[in-house]
Amino acid sequence: MSDPSAQTDSTSAADPSAQAAPTPSTDPVRIVLAEDEAIIRLDLRETLEEEGYVVVGETSRGDQVLDLVREKRPDVAILDVKMPGTDGITAAGQIRDERLCAVLLLTAFSQRDLIARAADAGALAYLVKPFERAELVPAVEVALVRFRELVALNHQVERAEARLEARKAIDRAKGRLMDVVAMSESDAYSHIQHQAMSERRPMAEVAAEIVEMGDDELRALSGVRADG
């Protein structure tokens, strides 16, 4: 007989954590620019808009980047490394911590330690100034693709963690039913599954309630009378 804990359960049908990661939008890519040199910022905006991107926000200060990204919700933030207030690497780390968008860093330096710091902070691509117009679009697209890959990976990890927690809850509930009501493991699993299906709820949610029930409640739930 197969182990009921190895069966495909109904948690995936009703658990939002089991849904697939969102697919990339076909809308124009939205971009926030953070560059303290106005001429470079203007040139960036014009180039990006000519290439079909939408610049939804601009700033010349690093300490305004996080709030601007939170407000505008861009797909990509293009940040200069050297800015007043907060440097671009620090701002990139703040954006990464909140998983807000892809980050492309602009720098006038190409030292390996700076590149390593940028990568650690969450920058997914970078350009060394002065850069050619033809380099900008590939860098934006690389950052965007890498960010979407990271989002998809995070969804996979979160779904795996949710499934593991659901399995643990179901195992604990099976144990309670087996100990208190003397059900077999297979019957205990079926009881949880059928209750979840009839109430249109995740099995993990039903299992958590069973674990919290007292012995008399469990006996009443399963139709078994207590001795005495």
Side-chain angles (χ1 to χ4, degrees):
M1 178 182 295
S2 61
D3 182 355
S5 65
Q7 298 177 29
T8 300
D9 58 51
S10 61
T11 54
S12 60
D15 188 349
S17 67
Q19 296 175 359
T23 56
S25 171
T26 57
D27 295 333
V29 173
R30 296 160 50 86
I31 292 179
V32 157
L33 295 178
E35 163 63 63
D36 63 334
E37 295 187 44
I39 294 176
I40 295 178
R41 195 167 66 249
L42 177 61
D43 185 55
L44 279 169
R45 170 187 272 278
E46 290 178 348
T47 301
L48 290 165
E49 290 178 342
E50 287 172 4
E51 294 292 341
Y53 299 105
V54 177
V55 177
V56 296
E58 300 179 30
T59 182
S60 61
R61 297 187 56 87
D63 52 6
Q64 295 175 353
V65 168
L66 185 60
D67 287 341
L68 184 61
V69 169
R70 285 171 174 164
E71 176 190 351
K72 300 299 185 180
R73 293 291 172 174
D75 301 297
V76 182
I78 300 179
L79 315 179
D80 188 21
V81 169
K82 300 294 184 181
M83 288 185 290
T86 300
D87 65 81
I89 292 178
T90 300
Q94 295 169 337
I95 293 170
R96 174 208 57 199
D97 291 345
E98 296 188 25
R99 300 181 188 176
L100 294 173
C101 68
V103 174
L104 166 60
L105 275 182
L106 306 178
T107 175
F109 310 96
S110 58
Q111 295 97 326
R112 290 186 177 180
D113 61 332
L114 181 63
I115 295 170
R117 284 180 56 214
D120 289 343
L124 300 175
Y126 71 95
L127 282 175
V128 178
K129 298 186 290 186
F131 50 85
E132 298 293 330
R133 179 189 183 104
E135 297 175 299
L136 180 58
V137 171
V140 170
E141 293 301 319
V142 165
L144 190 56
V145 167
R146 288 177 176 171
F147 180 73
R148 286 170 176 168
E149 289 173 346
L150 286 174
V151 169
L153 179 60
N154 286 330
H155 275 286
Q156 291 175 9
V157 171
E158 289 167 359
R159 289 199 301 272
E161 290 174 347
R163 285 195 296 268
L164 179 60
E165 290 304 311
R167 185 61 51 85
K168 289 179 180 178
I170 291 167
D171 285 344
R172 288 193 292 269
K174 285 192 302 183
R176 287 283 290 152
L177 291 170
M178 292 164 67
D179 291 342
V180 177
V181 194
M183 286 186 181
S184 68
E185 183 177 4
S186 179
D187 287 344
Y189 182 89
S190 295
H191 177 87
I192 300 167
Q193 186 179 48
H194 291 156
Q195 184 177 341
M197 293 176 66
S198 66
E199 297 176 2
R200 303 181 67 83
R201 294 194 293 158
M203 286 183 68
E205 184 179 312
V206 172
E209 289 183 358
I210 289 174
V211 170
E212 295 299 319
M213 286 182 178
D215 291 359
D216 290 342
E217 287 181 287
L218 281 180
R219 294 187 185 101
L221 178 68
S222 59
V224 176
R225 297 179 60 186
D227 293 337

